Amino acid sequence: MVSHNLVSNIQLWRQIRHKKITLGGNSRLKIYGLLNCKSGKRMKRENRVFFKNEDEALAHGYRPCGHCMRTAYHKWKKG
């Protein structure tokens, strides 16, 4: 997990380009989703975190976004 406050924009873009970051999340709400999700783009920088994959996000206790990851969200919701 990488906090947005701890990396520069250049470092962030390099990690995304090299597929070291594939998902974004909200540290306050414990929600993760796709990098191009409208909900994720609106969150404050200090609340934004990044993950390499879905397993990492789930290991940190985050749940899927109900907007951009609808199928994963419904699967998570059912338990």
Side-chain angles (χ1 to χ4, degrees):
M1 182 168 74
V2 178
S3 176
H4 197 168
N5 281 338
L6 302 179
V7 295
S8 70
N9 287 337
I10 293 171
Q11 291 172 326
L12 180 64
W13 285 111
R14 284 184 186 149
Q15 290 183 5
I16 291 171
R17 191 172 341 143
H18 296 299
K19 305 292 186 209
K20 292 181 180 178
I21 291 176
T22 60
L23 299 168
N26 186 315
S27 61
R28 287 192 181 255
L29 299 175
K30 296 286 194 175
I31 298 172
Y32 72 91
L34 301 176
L35 294 174
N36 62 352
C37 179
K38 285 185 179 182
S39 297
K41 288 181 179 181
R42 290 189 307 226
M43 78 177 87
K44 293 180 181 179
R45 183 181 180 113
E46 62 263 16
N47 296 337
R48 192 176 294 129
V49 293
F50 298 101
F51 302 101
K52 182 174 183 166
N53 55 39
E54 198 167 355
D55 292 333
E56 182 183 8
L58 292 170
H60 281 89
Y62 284 66
R63 70 163 178 85
C65 174
H67 295 115
C68 65
M69 301 187 77
R70 188 157 288 190
T71 305
Y73 172 73
H74 287 299
K75 183 179 175 183
W76 171 85
K77 193 173 178 181
K78 288 182 181 177

